[in-house]
Structures are given as structure tokens and as C-alpha cells.
Amino acid sequence: MHLLEITGLTKSFGGLQALGGVDFHIDELEIVSVIGPNGAGKTTFFNTISGLVVPDEGRIVFEDEDIAGLEPSEITRRGIARTFQNVRLFPDMTILENVMVAQHCRTETGVWGALFNTPTFRNEERAIEERAKDILGFFGTRLTGYRFRQPAYVLSYANRRRLEIARAMGTMPRLLLLDEPTAGMNPKETAELTGLIRKLRDEKGFTIVVIEHEMRVVRDVSDRVVVLDHGVKIAEGSYDDVSSNPDVIEAYLGRPAEEGA
Amino acid sequence: MNQTVTRRSATDLDWDRVRRWGIYAGLTMAFLSSIGMVENLDKRIIVDPILSLGFLALLWVPVAFGYAATYEEAKEGMAAPEKGERDLVGGLVTGLIGGLFFVAFIAIADAVDLRGVFPRIGPALIDLLTFDRGVAIGSLLWLVISGLLGMFGGLLHVLPDRVRRAVTNALAAVFLVALVEIAVVDIFESLRLTVISDWIYAKNGGVTIAGAVVIAALAALSSVRSEGDAVVRFRTRYATMEGDERKRFNLIAGAVAVVLAVVLPMILGGLTNELLANVGLFLLMALGLNLVVGYAGLLDLGYVAFFAVGAYTTAILTSPLSPKWTPMLTLDFFSIEGWVVMVVVVAVAALSGLVVGTPVIRLRGDYLAIVTLGFGEIVRILFLSDWLAPAFGGAQGIRNIPAAVAGPVEINGTKPQTIFYVVVVFVGIAIYVAWRLYHSRIGRAWAALREDEDVAEAMGVETTKMKLLAFITGAILASFGGMIFAVKVGSVFPSSFKLIVSIIVLVIVIVGGMGSIPGVVVGSLVLIGILGGPTQPGLLAEFGEFKLLIYGALLVFMMLRRPEGLWPSVQRQRELHQEEILQDAWLKAEAADEEGKR
Amino acid sequence: MTTTAERADFRFNWVDSFLLALRIAAIFVVVWGTVGALALGFVGEGLSGSAWKDLIVAGLAQGSMYGLIALGYSMVYGVLGFINFAHGEVFMAGAMVGFFVADYFFTSGLWVSNFIIAILIVLVVAVATSTFTAVLIEKVAYRPLRNSPRLIPLITSIGVSFFLQNAVLGLVGPAVKTYPQAPTWLSQKISVLGLQIEGTKLLVIVIAVVSMIGLWLFVERTKTGRAMRAVAEDKEIAALMGIDVDRTIVTTFAVGGAMAGVAGILWALLFRGVSFITGFLPGIKAFTAAVLGGIGNLVGAMAGGVLLGLFESLGPNVVLRGLRWEIPFGLGIAALAAGIAVAVLAWRRGRVSVASLAGALIMLGVAGIGQWSIVIPGLTQLKDVVAFSALVLVLIFKPSGLFGEQLADEDRA
Ligand SMILES: Nc1ncnc2c1ncn2[C@@H]1O[C@H](COP(=O)(O)OP(=O)(O)OP(=O)(O)O)[C@@H](O)[C@H]1O
Ligand SMILES: [Mg+2]
């Protein structure tokens, strides 16, 4: 049984078909890359899984349950977390708070606890903070120490991406969806992040789907690669298989002129 | 000054700008006169024989506009703009142009009878504006006055910081002392120190000249001795306090506030107590709205509906004249009956929060604002209608709401002290609630959904639930306000619950600082304390009919100039001081790196 | 969204259920009231045929006035993406200044001797005033706020609105100013298309239609109009194409203001009384109309205005009055049966439209079986409740309007 199994996922925006019946699956502790040219529907694929976009058709079965059409927060609670292609942090909240707020769905004290400052509430708050610090510690010293109390917007671009991953980790997911985690990073940072993605799986036990444009990263991290083009899966397999697949090359380089017409 | 700056001559001015601001100044003065401000406020004296509030309402204009016309922004990385005679000249010319326009206005008003269109522009106004000396002399005087005041405005740029502060503080202090006349006289009377208050204040109101001189001197002296702007310094310190320190400070401030709240009403007279009770009532509502607007980012323009719900529920539960249901409970805070009333009020408010909140929370922010406004109006019109009059009394409302009781004490509007105490308790509760919630999982969720709703949802925050929670909490706080209001006034009727109440509460929150509890406190003190509520007078009761005009202008001004409010919340402070914090972060990073290397 | 699939658009949660209930209640009340009014009319208890026609004409006239004001909201929202709450005051300013001119003409005799010339001059003055006010507001209050979050200019415009109201109150006093009576030949009824239309109302409709056509030609056919559409589409790209964005925005406000000025005179013709508060309610209603027609959509704004005018005129007198009518028992049973049938057959599909149909039918059935009858006294008092309910319902259920929004991408969502 797969951790996540998607069948016939379809989504259109007006007349434009962003996803045309995609089948997909991922197993526990796998890292799968989703690649494809711009506008292939990769982000839409993530959006439908995480519930931000309701699919027109198709089943998204996560741990034996069809989650298609659930509220995003419900899906997150079930154990799927994501990052965004265009980094969307809570810029005016502190770095620590960004990770703390992500634990919302894993904690439960409500109004009473907060009002009467109950022991449960205090313990939970302490636990939330500890866990957040712990998660941020995963990224070395970049997001720790004096950084805890700084607003998120002070961070450099690469650090924002890291914080976004940390925030996703804060929701304590089983499945992590990373949308172009290395976009805008320099080669050194990219290499480091590649290692980090593996570490996320090996040490933290996350199952990971990653959208990537950087082929080196794809090669280094993925157990399996899925290629989307115009909302359709055109290839799937190991990196080597996929990278030599003529359909994939064609999708990236464009069709030969005589066929294009 | 910087050596490399080439000296600019006294006439090297942005003449266009000076002319523009001069014209604005003249038009503003003419406008303020035409709406009757000068005439109406003339009765209130600021400095006994020489200055009334009415003239003050005119005289600030050339000063402010002269200042604005010669204001030059110090640009990052550029030499500071050179200050000198040219500022004086600029201010002077601005004032003169303003004066010229104003004089033209007086002349026209004198020559043509405009009363058919502008009922306030009559002979009485002309006499007042010309100091009873005829248009010619009056005009000449205005030119001189306006020019000099404009020059004073320009001078403010030239003066060294310390001197400028001394001057402005001295002026502000005199104004402030005149402003709080009622309260001070009140206190000094109950302390039997009328000697002092008689000396400071003249018989027919206003500060005496001698008093003014002394106050100004004291204020100037004290400000010369201190460094920088005390308020700003304090606020920045507060914003940068770390967890424990801030907690300690909050505790101390809270304790002081409690002591003040207990002691003040005893030494204050009825009028001042009434005023403070009103401040507290609006503060209570503002705290609630702050939760909705400031924390959760939902612009609720129908907030008054919850206030009304609280008031009507209380009226129905307690008044013998309630047309339909007459349980006639007593709002006794120390008995079961009183608690029943409060529980019902809370329940009804929560329910109405849910009913209003549910359909709107999926809407985008601006539509939400308009829909809540619609709900607020619907509620008011329904309370007013004949249809529901059998239950709510229509336009007459529900009268004879009995006093609330706390042990042996009766609480009602005739004894504003008692109301004030009750208000203080509920404000305390509201502050506590807001503060606790803000620093909890719920507060973080609100902050997240205010910053980016979609992402908050994707990160597992149940945004609908959290928004509803904000709506409901806000509704409950407003309903407490309504409950106290009903007891205070002794009757409820629909005209107390107009849209304007929502707007004024919103102005308080915005002027104070969205999302900032101290800001909201300051906002209510300043606005309700000085200007007053929709029907309740403030310290400047004379402003009565111009109140809404000022509230409107203030809202616009704050949005344009200081959207973060007088006392911004820490988060908004962050937004504002992004650059400094970025710099700070950079320095800290350097330091940390150094440490790492060692 | 092109939902071809079977996926439910209804989720069993608190918010969706509440919204469904609200929708059912609204449909139920409107259907019951309308059918009731017709049925009562049939047995001679309701409105007479001519009363119906009068209401429709009044609705058309008022509606075209709302439509003209709505254009201003719609254009500003289309271009700048915020609600210009002060637009109602722009309208009021035109009507107010127009009054003083009209009053002057009345004393000088022109109003009576040559009404057409007089009213045209008044119209020009009102249009000039409103245009000036709108442009001034844009310059002083909104321009510095370009690119700030949507709520900031909205809050500012609320401030502007209150400032203007109270400035006018201060300047001219609180009394309601009454326009001089239009000449008698204008108040006679003229027969058009089978409707007996009062001359004033006909004039109102004619002026509105002419202005609307003028505006449409302006937007579609002139260079400035094209620039406006380009700026509404995307400000940055428009700027790159060499369009002066600031000037175009000023033009937008000016044109919106001019239309509000025309509306001000229509108001004067219809109701005659003007005071500082006059702008508030028509403003809110016109905003509703703009949303109803699809904000940013000019033809939609006009259509929305007419619809809202009709609804407002018929709402209290027809729908609310019709609630007196007891649904016949047999009909009730039939409705209930039909409702249950629809529910049983189609509930599983989870479509909101089906569920609300079923719900409304069942409610009608219950009302019929229970022989409900609601008699509401003082119906005219509830005129504004009807208008505000329309506002609330339109914004909640049809925020994208009947004829489609036309907004820049950044302003959506
Ligand atoms: N909310 C939306 N409304 C309309 N069209 C959309 C929406 N979201 C995505 N699309 C369209 O769907 C198509 C797929 O977009 P998507 O963002 O999924 O591509 P992508 O593979 O992530 O591309 P990139 O590599 O550039 O990130 C695009 O043509 C895009 O314009
Ligand atoms: Mg993408």
C-alpha cells in the first residue's frame, strides 16, 4: 500500500487544462521529484494535494483516505505539509513564531487554557517553543540564537527558503511537498540543500515530493522522477531512464518544427 | 553644519510650494470660519483675556502650514538640508499668502450677504474676525498675525532641537492645562486646594496670564533638561524590551493603573467621572474591535450591533417596562441573578457574533467590511421598526432599566463614580483576555491569518474557526459595553446605535494603533476624553458639533501620515522600522560570526 | 470554474450549512412574497394593476439613478481595486450645489419661464461640482496610498466620507433643502409602451440613458477610454506602454464624479430634498448595484442599478406585503412533496443549487401546511432593511456579480 496514491487528477482553469488526469503514488520514505517545463502544472499538482485548489476530478488517497476536497488545514492536520515556490512566510512574525504557529494543528489548548494560564497550557507553550527551536536547529546556526526574535523579513533569500522548510516541518507531517526549494540559491547553497533534503528523509523520516528545475539536485536526491508536461504525466522512472527518454527531451527542448504545426 | 553644502540665499525657495501651502492655509481658515467653528468655540477661553479656543482653531493654521511649506525631508545618505533665513522667509510668505486669502474671504463675506447659502457667515462672524474694529483694520491685523505665525512655523525648523522642544512643550503644556480645566478644578476642589486652581484658572474659564507664564516656563525648563522626545524614547524602549523585562513593566504599569482606577474616582467630581466612564466604555469596545481588526485583520464596520445586542438584552432582562418579556432580574454582580443576566448577555452576544460572522468570513476583506456595515444597519432598523416594536419598543426603546447592584452599592448613571468602577473592572477583564489570547496559540493563529490567510490555512490553521472566534470574542466584549451602557443611561433606544459608533470605535483603534493594547488605551483617552463620543461630551465639549468632522479628518490624516497609530504594536513597529532592524540583524550576524571564528 | 465533474460543491461544515440555510430562507421569503402578492392581486386584495406599473416605473427611475452612481464605484474599483466609500458624498455635493443654483433660478424666475434651460445649467453645475470633488478627493486622499493594502484606502475613504458629510453640514446647516417644484407640464403622465409614465420620471430615465450612452462611447471609442481600460487591466504594463497612469486615474475619478453629478440632479427631480446625509444610503445602494452587475463592468453597473431600483421599489410593497398570503393547504402539500422528492433524488450529488431548491420547496410546504401568514406593519420603515438585505445577500452569494467582474488580476481573490 502506498502512502499517497493519486488517480486521474484533473483540474482546469477556465478553458486551460492544468492537470489532465495525473496518476501518482509515493511510498513511505521515498523521495520523488516532479519535473517538467514551465507551466506544466507542477505547482497546481501540489495545490490540489494540499487542498488550496479543489480538483475537478480524481482521487487523492492519503493513508487510506480520500482527501480530495478537504479544507487545506484538514489536509495539513492529516500529515501533508508544503512550501511555496514564491516563498510565503509570515514576514512580520518572528522566525520562532513562524515555526510555532505551524504547530497549531498539533496542539489543542483553547481559550480557557490561555485565559487561565493552566498548567496544560504552559506545558504546551513550552513544548511548542522547544520544538520550534529544535526544528530551527536542524539548519545549523543560521536560524537560531538572536535570530529567534527577529522578524522573518530580515532573512536572506536562502534563509527564507530554509525557514519555510522549517515551518513545514513544524506541522509535523509525514509527507513534505517542496516546491522548487533551491530556486534563487547559489551553487554552494544548492549543494547544501540537496544534502539537507536527504537528511530530512534519513534522519527525520519524512517522505518527500520535490519539484525541481535544477537537474543536479534531481539526480542527487530522487529515488524516482515523474515528468509532467501540459498537465499530463509523460514519463516516470529513475533519473537515468527519464533523462534519456525522448519524450522528456522533446518536452524540454520543444517539438521538431515539422511536427509542431 | 556640513562644509560642502553651498549656502543658499534666503529667497532660494520652492516658491511654488510656498504659494500652494499659503493658499491652502487661507482656504482652511476660511473654511473653519464658515462652518462656525471660530464663533462657537469662542466661548471657551484658553488663556484668559487674550486667547479663545475659537481663535486657536484659526491660529494653528498658519503655523502648521508655514512649517509644512518649509519642511525638507532629510534624505538617507545626503547632506542634511540646510536651515536658515530661508525657512523664515518661506514661513512668512506662506503666512502672508494665507492671510491674504483669509482677508479676501472676510472682505467678501462683509460685502455680500452669504447667509442664504452659508448660514454661519453673518455679521456676528465678521465682527468677531475683525476684532470689532472694522474690516480694514481687522484685515491688516490678520495679515500681520498670519505672516508672523507662518514665520514662527518656519522658525521651528531653524531652532536647535532643544529650544524647539522647549517652545513646543511650553505651548502644549499651556494648552493641555487649559484643556483639562474641568478635571483639575474638580480634583483640587475635593482636595480643598482651590487656592491653586483659582490662581491657575480665571473666573470665566481659561488659564490666567500669570498661570500660563508659569506653566510655560516650567514645561520649557523640564524639557530643556531632558534628552530627546521622552514619549518616543519610552515607546522605543518598550518595543525593544525582552520577554521578562516587558512582563515586569506590564505588571508595574498594571498595578499603577489599578491604584489610579481605585483612587481617582474618589477625588474626582461627577463631571470628570462621567467623562472617564465614557472613556472606559469606548475603551471596552475598542479593545474588542482591536481583537477583530487589529489581531485577526477583519474590518468589522457593524460592530455597534453587538453593543446594541448587549444593551437590549440587559434591558429586556432587567427592565419592568420591557414590552414583551419581563423577567425583571436585577443585575447584582454579587448574586446568582446578576450572573444569570451576564451569562445570558454573553450567550446572546456570542450567538449574534456567530450569526453575523459565519456568512461573512469567506468574503474578501473589503466586502466583509461593507456586509458587516449592512448587518449593523439592519439590526438598528429592525430595533426601530413597528414590526418588532412589541418586543423592543420601537423608537421609544425600553426605559426604566434599574440600577445594577454590587453588594450595598447601587450602580447607575446618576452616580458616575459607580459606573466608572464597573467599567474599570470590565476593561481590566478585556485587557486581560486580549493579552492572554494574543500570547497564545490562538493569537499566533490570528497573526498568521492576518498576514497571509491562504498560507495560514495551508499551515494547518483552521482559519474559519479562528475568525469566528475573533468575531465572537469581540462581540462579547462589545456586549459588556452595551450592558454597562444600558445601566448607565437607564434606557435603550435605537438612535444610540448608529453606524457612527462603529466608526468612532474604529477611529480609536486606528489612531491608537491597530493590534496594540496600550495604543487603544491611549486612543480612547485622547479621543473620547478630549472630543467625546457620538453623543457624549469630552473635555472640549464645545467641539460637539464638529466632532464628527474632526474624526473624519483624523482618520484620513492618520491613514496618510501614521497608519501604525500613536502607539504602534510591536509587530507594526517592526514593519515600520524594517531598515533599522535589518541593520541590527546584520550587525548581530557579524558579531555571531566573529564569535564562531574564535 | 468549469466543474464538469460530480464533485460536490457543498461540504458538511458549519459555514456551508449556515450559508445554505440562509440561501434557503432568502429564496423561501422571496418566492412566498412574490407569489403571495400576485395571488392577493388576483383576488383583488393586493395592488391594482396601475399601482404595479407605478412601482415599476418608480423602480426604473430610481434604478437608473443608482446605476449612474454605481458607475463611479465600479470604475474606481476596476482601476484601483478599492471601494471608494466617499462616492456617495460626491453625489450629494452635486445635488447640494445644484440646489443653490436652482433656488437662485427660481427666485429669478428662469426656473418657471424656461425650465429646460434652467435645469440644464443646474445639471452642468452639479456635474462640475461632483467632478471637482471626486478629483480633489483622489489627489488629497487616495493618491498617496497607491499600492497600499486594500483596506487602507477603504478606511481612508470612510474618513473622507464622514469629513465631507460634516463639512457640508457645517457649511450649509442641517436643514433639508428642497428643490423648487418642477413645472406642472412635467408632472403629467405620458403613455410610453403601455406604461403611464410621469414626465419627471421619463426625464430621469432619458437623462440616465443618454449619459450612459455617452459614457460608453467615451470608454469604448476614445483614446482616454482605451487608456482607462488598459490601466484597469494592469497598471504597470499600461505605464510601460506609455500611458500616463496618474492622469488616467484622475480621469476615472472625474468621469465617475460626473456621472454622480448627473445622478444628483436625477435625485433632485425624483425626491427634491437634499441634505448633508443624502449621499449615504444611495451610495450604499449604488455600491450594491455595482457588485450585483459585476464590479468593474460598466454595463453591468447600470443593469445592476436598474435591478436594484426595481427590487427596492417592489421589495417592501410586493414581497413583504405578500407574506400575508396563506399558501393554500393543497399547494403546501404539493410543494412539500416536490421538495422531498428533489431532496431524495438529488441530495447525494451535493449541489448547493439543488439543495437550496429542495429546502425552499420544503419551507414553502411547511408554511402552507402550517397556514403561516406574516403581517408586517409599517412596511415603508423596512425599505432600507430591504436595501441592506439586498446588499448583504448580493455580497455573500454573488460577489462576482451577475454579468462578470472585470478586475486586474492582483485585485481578485
Ligand atoms: N489559480 C489559477 N488560475 C488560472 N490559471 C492558473 C491558476 N494556477 C495555475 N494556472 C495555470 O495553470 C498552468 C499550470 O501552472 P503551474 O503553476 O501549475 O505550472 P508549473 O509547472 O508550476 O510552472 P513553473 O515551473 O513555472 O512553476 C499555467 O498555465 C498557469 O497559468
Ligand atoms: Mg510552479
Side-chain angles (χ1 to χ4, degrees):
Chain A
M1 211 220 49
H2 305 296
L3 177 66
L4 175 76
E5 179 158 15
I6 292 170
T7 39
L9 195 63
T10 307
K11 178 70 203 178
S12 304
F13 295 108
L16 182 119
Q17 188 157 61
L19 292 176
V22 176
D23 297 335
F24 178 89
H25 68 92
I26 187 167
D27 289 316
E28 186 95 49
L29 290 180
E30 225 186 340
I31 299 182
V32 176
S33 295
V34 176
I35 64 170
N38 291 111
K42 305 181 296 292
T43 299
T44 308
F45 181 62
F46 270 19
N47 285 345
T48 48
I49 299 177
S50 57
L52 289 178
V53 164
V54 179
D56 299 336
E57 274 172 73
R59 287 162 57 78
I60 305 174
V61 179
F62 182 69
E63 294 183 322
D64 272 340
E65 185 192 5
D66 188 356
I67 56 167
L70 290 183
E71 303 273 344
S73 56
E74 276 298 308
I75 292 173
T76 310
R77 180 196 286 283
R78 279 169 174 67
I80 301 179
R82 67 171 295 174
T83 65
F84 293 86
Q85 180 171 357
N86 49 340
V87 192
R88 289 169 79 177
L89 292 166
F90 303 119
D92 293 317
M93 293 171 78
T94 64
I95 289 161
L96 196 60
E97 281 168 345
N98 263 281
V99 184
M100 285 168 79
V101 77
Q103 296 175 46
H104 188 88
C105 59
R106 297 288 170 241
T107 45
E108 50 216 17
T109 38
V111 177
W112 295 121
L115 287 190
F116 300 111
N117 203 9
T118 57
T120 340
F121 171 77
R122 269 174 295 166
N123 289 338
E124 194 179 274
E125 280 292 298
R126 206 171 311 127
I128 291 174
E129 195 172 327
E130 289 303 309
R131 210 175 294 135
K133 286 181 173 164
D134 193 50
I135 290 172
L136 287 167
F138 185 69
F139 297 83
T141 55
R142 284 195 200 83
L143 300 175
T144 57
Y146 68 95
R147 287 283 192 206
F148 284 156
R149 309 257 163 231
Q150 283 187 331
Y153 64 74
V154 307
L155 291 177
S156 70
Y157 194 72
N159 275 338
R160 285 180 203 189
R161 285 225 175 268
R162 295 188 182 104
L163 177 56
E164 232 200 352
I165 298 177
R167 190 179 61 182
M169 290 162 70
T171 68
M172 295 189 246
R174 293 190 67 188
L175 177 67
L176 255 182
L177 311 175
L178 306 178
D179 197 344
E180 301 198 19
T182 68
M185 287 189 172
N186 66 33
K188 193 171 143 240
E189 291 163 335
T190 306
E192 194 196 314
L193 200 85
T194 313
L196 195 106
I197 293 175
R198 300 201 72 105
K199 240 172 76 181
L200 278 173
R201 192 251 319 257
D202 299 339
E203 290 178 16
K204 298 276 168 186
F206 295 123
T207 306
I208 299 170
V209 186
V210 50
I211 295 177
E212 247 319 327
H213 274 302
E214 187 68 49
M215 282 309 152
R216 286 250 291 278
V217 181
V218 176
R219 190 191 62 204
D220 291 345
V221 301
S222 19
D223 301 324
R224 190 154 48 89
V225 179
V226 169
V227 190
L228 289 184
D229 185 28
H230 291 103
V232 183
K233 186 163 83 179
I234 57 169
E236 179 169 6
S238 71
Y239 175 79
D240 294 330
D241 291 350
V242 164
S243 59
S244 55
N245 183 323
D247 286 344
V248 177
I249 296 169
E250 190 183 274
Y252 271 91
L253 299 179
R255 270 144 249 256
E258 56 269 35
E259 275 180 57
Chain B
M1 278 280 136
N2 204 323
Q3 294 292 306
T4 55
V5 177
T6 44
R7 281 198 67 81
R8 290 188 286 178
S9 74
T11 51
D12 180 14
L13 273 167
D14 187 348
W15 285 105
D16 204 39
R17 190 161 146 210
V18 167
R19 195 164 53 228
R20 221 170 45 230
W21 279 103
I23 295 174
Y24 294 162
L27 292 180
T28 309
M29 291 198 283
F31 171 74
L32 292 175
S33 313
S34 320
I35 61 172
M37 218 184 221
V38 184
E39 232 176 317
N40 278 29
L41 304 190
D42 193 46
K43 291 167 211 97
R44 172 80 182 247
I45 312 294
I46 296 295
V47 179
D48 183 30
I50 54 171
L51 182 64
S52 76
L53 189 58
F55 277 98
L56 191 64
L58 280 185
L59 297 181
W60 68 271
V61 176
V63 179
F65 285 53
Y67 181 87
T70 49
Y71 177 79
E72 283 170 301
E73 208 173 348
K75 290 212 183 71
E76 189 67 41
M78 307 257 228
E82 188 204 3
K83 296 290 161 201
E85 311 83 89
R86 38 194 299 281
D87 294 299
L88 296 187
V89 176
L92 175 70
V93 177
T94 310
L96 282 177
I97 296 176
L100 212 58
F101 267 75
F102 187 51
V103 165
F105 163 77
I106 296 178
I108 293 173
D110 185 54
V112 193
D113 185 3
L114 294 173
R115 271 174 297 178
V117 180
F118 304 111
R120 317 274 192 152
I121 310 181
L125 178 71
I126 307 290
D127 287 346
L128 187 68
L129 288 181
T130 52
F131 313 100
D132 288 325
R133 278 157 216 256
V135 173
I137 296 187
S139 300
L140 210 62
L141 278 173
W142 269 113
L143 273 182
V144 175
I145 294 174
S146 178
L148 287 179
L149 286 176
M151 191 154 97
F152 175 67
L155 179 72
L156 288 176
H157 293 296
V158 183
L159 295 177
D161 273 357
R162 212 166 262 255
V163 182
R164 180 177 57 220
R165 226 172 21 242
V167 173
T168 48
N169 282 2
L171 291 177
V174 174
F175 179 63
L176 211 71
V177 172
L179 192 75
V180 294
E181 181 174 344
I182 313 171
V184 173
V185 171
D186 234 30
I187 296 177
F188 281 35
E189 252 166 33
S190 62
L191 295 180
R192 296 177 212 294
L193 289 173
T194 39
V195 199
I196 302 185
S197 58
D198 281 351
W199 185 76
I200 300 180
Y201 295 112
K203 262 199 199 62
N204 45 353
V207 186
T208 56
I209 292 191
V213 170
V214 172
I215 294 163
L218 284 178
L221 268 181
S222 70
S223 71
V224 166
R225 290 191 40 219
S226 77
E227 292 284 331
D229 189 334
V231 180
V232 171
R233 241 180 327 130
F234 172 70
R235 232 177 26 214
T236 356
R237 242 209 82 210
Y238 182 79
T240 52
M241 277 182 201
E242 292 284 334
D244 274 347
E245 194 187 356
R246 157 134 3 112
K247 212 173 271 170
R248 208 163 337 121
F249 175 83
N250 281 344
L251 274 181
I252 296 173
V256 171
V258 167
V259 171
L260 270 182
V262 172
V263 175
L264 259 185
M266 296 179 187
I267 55 175
L268 291 177
L271 261 178
T272 325
N273 264 316
E274 164 86 24
L275 201 121
L276 282 179
N278 286 335
V279 170
L281 218 54
F282 275 87
L283 173 55
L284 189 53
M285 285 199 280
L287 284 165
L289 186 66
N290 180 47
L291 223 88
V292 185
V293 180
Y295 290 176
L298 307 166
L299 183 58
D300 180 358
L301 295 180
Y303 195 61
V304 67
F306 303 127
F307 182 61
V309 164
Y312 268 94
T313 313
T314 312
I316 288 172
L317 290 177
T318 60
S319 166
L321 292 189
S322 160
K324 188 150 183 182
W325 305 278
T326 43
M328 283 173 53
L329 300 175
T330 315
L331 181 54
D332 181 346
F333 292 110
F334 295 155
S335 84
I336 299 286
E337 218 171 289
W339 284 85
V340 168
V341 173
M342 282 194 281
V343 168
V344 174
V345 167
V346 168
V348 174
L351 192 71
S352 47
L354 197 64
V355 168
V356 172
T358 306
V360 302
I361 48 177
R362 293 248 179 93
L363 295 173
R364 54 187 181 214
D366 47 354
Y367 282 15
L368 183 146
I370 302 293
V371 173
T372 48
L373 181 151
F375 273 128
E377 287 294 283
I378 290 176
V379 167
R380 184 179 62 83
I381 302 172
L382 285 183
F383 277 138
L384 187 65
S385 70
D386 288 347
W387 183 34
L388 299 184
F392 303 117
Q396 313 302 318
I398 302 175
R399 282 168 298 124
N400 272 31
I401 296 168
V405 187
V409 191
E410 282 215 329
I411 298 161
N412 63 22
T414 53
K415 287 179 288 179
Q417 272 180 8
T418 56
I419 295 283
F420 179 70
Y421 279 125
V422 175
V423 167
V424 164
V425 171
F426 279 93
V427 164
I429 295 175
I431 291 181
Y432 180 77
V433 168
W435 175 66
R436 293 295 323 167
L437 288 182
Y438 188 66
H439 293 282
S440 78
R441 164 176 174 269
I442 295 165
R444 282 192 298 270
W446 282 338
L449 83 85
R450 189 186 60 220
E451 292 207 9
D452 192 329
E453 197 181 322
D454 293 338
V455 177
E457 177 73 35
M459 287 303 130
V461 175
E462 311 101 319
T463 47
T464 37
K465 205 166 134 191
M466 288 297 129
K467 284 183 182 177
L468 278 179
L469 187 62
F471 249 99
I472 291 172
T473 324
I476 291 174
L477 293 184
S479 74
F480 282 142
M483 180 179 83
I484 301 171
F485 179 79
V487 170
K488 175 168 176 276
V489 180
S491 57
V492 294
F493 31 82
S495 62
S496 310
F497 307 109
K498 289 188 177 154
L499 170 68
I500 187 65
V501 179
S502 300
I503 303 292
I504 287 183
V505 177
L506 178 71
V507 181
I508 294 175
V509 173
I510 283 172
V511 168
M514 280 196 267
S516 150
I517 295 177
V520 174
V521 175
V522 171
S524 349
L525 271 174
V526 171
L527 293 181
I528 305 299
I530 295 177
L531 292 174
T535 50
Q536 303 80 349
L539 282 172
L540 288 179
E542 291 78 3
F543 266 126
E545 58 181 304
F546 309 111
K547 208 151 46 185
L548 300 185
L549 183 84
I550 298 172
Y551 274 125
L554 210 56
L555 199 54
V556 178
F557 180 81
M558 291 302 286
M559 281 289 123
L560 294 180
R561 284 296 148 88
R562 234 186 125 75
E564 77 279 10
L566 290 177
W567 187 321
S569 71
V570 177
Q571 241 165 48
R572 270 167 232 260
Q573 191 106 330
R574 279 188 207 139
E575 280 169 47
L576 282 167
H577 298 279
Q578 288 207 1
E579 264 155 50
E580 289 154 46
I581 293 180
L582 278 172
Q583 239 174 35
D584 209 40
W586 184 73
L587 286 176
K588 274 192 187 165
E590 293 270 284
D593 281 353
E594 287 291 301
E595 216 155 280
K597 272 176 205 149
R598 264 190 280 125
Chain C
M1 248 185 281
T2 54
T3 4
T4 50
E6 291 287 289
R7 183 171 302 289
D9 58 358
F10 175 79
R11 299 175 186 177
F12 275 98
N13 60 31
W14 161 251
V15 177
D16 276 348
S17 313
F18 188 94
L19 287 177
L20 180 64
L22 197 62
R23 198 186 276 261
I24 290 174
I27 297 175
F28 163 64
V29 168
V30 170
V31 171
W32 178 15
T34 316
V35 175
L38 292 172
L40 286 176
F42 202 69
V43 295
E45 278 177 44
L47 297 171
S48 67
S50 72
W52 268 93
K53 284 181 186 165
D54 280 350
L55 284 178
I56 289 178
V57 170
L60 281 176
Q62 265 185 57
S64 40
M65 179 188 78
Y66 292 150
L68 284 181
I69 310 175
L71 289 169
Y73 284 102
S74 211
M75 285 194 288
V76 168
Y77 205 106
V79 170
L80 289 173
F82 78 93
I83 303 170
N84 177 14
F85 200 81
H87 191 59
E89 274 58 51
V90 170
F91 153 82
M92 176 270 287
M96 183 60 85
V97 174
F99 160 78
F100 289 109
V101 180
D103 197 46
Y104 173 77
F105 285 154
F106 186 70
T107 32
S108 74
L110 186 70
W111 186 267
V112 183
S113 65
N114 207 333
F115 176 73
I116 292 296
I117 299 225
I119 196 76
L120 277 179
I121 297 176
V122 172
L123 183 69
V124 169
V125 172
V127 166
T129 313
S130 289
T131 310
F132 174 76
T133 315
V135 170
L136 190 72
I137 298 174
E138 194 275 332
K139 273 217 153 112
V140 175
Y142 303 151
R143 187 166 301 180
L145 295 176
R146 294 273 163 77
N147 306 324
S148 44
R150 197 199 300 271
L151 287 185
I152 302 279
L154 171 61
I155 296 174
T156 312
S157 70
I158 293 173
V160 172
S161 163
F162 272 83
F163 178 82
L164 286 180
Q165 268 179 29
N166 288 286
V168 170
L169 167 68
L171 285 173
V172 304
V176 175
K177 316 264 179 299
T178 311
Y179 270 72
Q181 181 95 50
T184 40
W185 56 263
L186 200 59
S187 48
Q188 262 146 27
K189 294 207 170 182
I190 307 160
S191 165
V192 182
L193 303 172
L195 289 174
Q196 289 286 316
I197 299 189
E198 205 182 302
T200 358
K201 301 215 162 94
L202 187 65
L203 184 64
V204 163
I205 295 173
V206 167
I207 296 181
V209 169
V210 169
S211 318
M212 179 64 204
I213 292 176
L215 177 74
W216 189 80
L217 288 176
F218 174 78
V219 173
E220 295 291 324
R221 295 291 153 81
T222 64
K223 220 174 123 194
T224 329
R226 273 199 297 278
M228 266 167 68
R229 281 182 292 146
V231 172
E233 199 70 37
D234 190 321
K235 279 193 272 301
E236 270 159 37
I237 292 186
L240 288 177
M241 305 294 274
I243 292 171
D244 184 342
V245 174
D246 269 345
R247 233 184 86 182
T248 313
I249 290 175
V250 170
T251 318
T252 310
F253 272 87
V255 174
M259 292 295 140
V262 176
I265 294 311
L266 301 192
W267 170 277
L269 286 172
L270 287 172
F271 304 106
R272 293 178 55 209
V274 185
S275 80
F276 69 101
I277 206 79
T278 296
F280 177 69
L281 274 177
I284 295 272
K285 289 171 188 168
F287 174 69
T288 315
V291 177
L292 185 63
I295 204 135
N297 179 338
L298 297 191
V299 180
M302 202 66 205
V306 171
L307 272 179
L308 193 83
L310 285 174
F311 184 69
E312 194 193 4
S313 149
L314 296 176
N317 294 309
V318 175
V319 177
L320 292 184
R321 194 188 295 271
L323 296 180
R324 264 189 320 190
W325 182 63
E326 289 174 14
I327 300 171
F329 195 78
L331 210 58
I333 300 269
L336 187 65
I340 292 175
V342 173
V344 169
L345 288 179
W347 187 267
R348 228 167 24 84
R349 308 257 300 269
R351 313 296 308 174
V352 166
S353 47
V354 176
S356 28
L357 178 68
L361 280 172
I362 293 175
M363 285 296 292
L364 286 170
V366 170
I369 292 166
Q371 292 293 293
W372 291 4
S373 162
I374 302 176
V375 181
I376 300 177
L379 277 178
T380 42
Q381 289 174 333
L382 296 185
K383 213 178 90 213
D384 292 339
V385 170
V386 171
F388 281 114
S389 304
L391 167 81
V392 166
L393 293 175
V394 167
L395 262 63
I396 291 176
F397 292 119
K398 205 71 190 143
S400 58
L402 294 175
F403 308 101
E405 286 178 302
Q406 290 175 9
L407 290 179
D409 271 340
E410 75 237 49
D411 293 329
R412 254 181 264 261

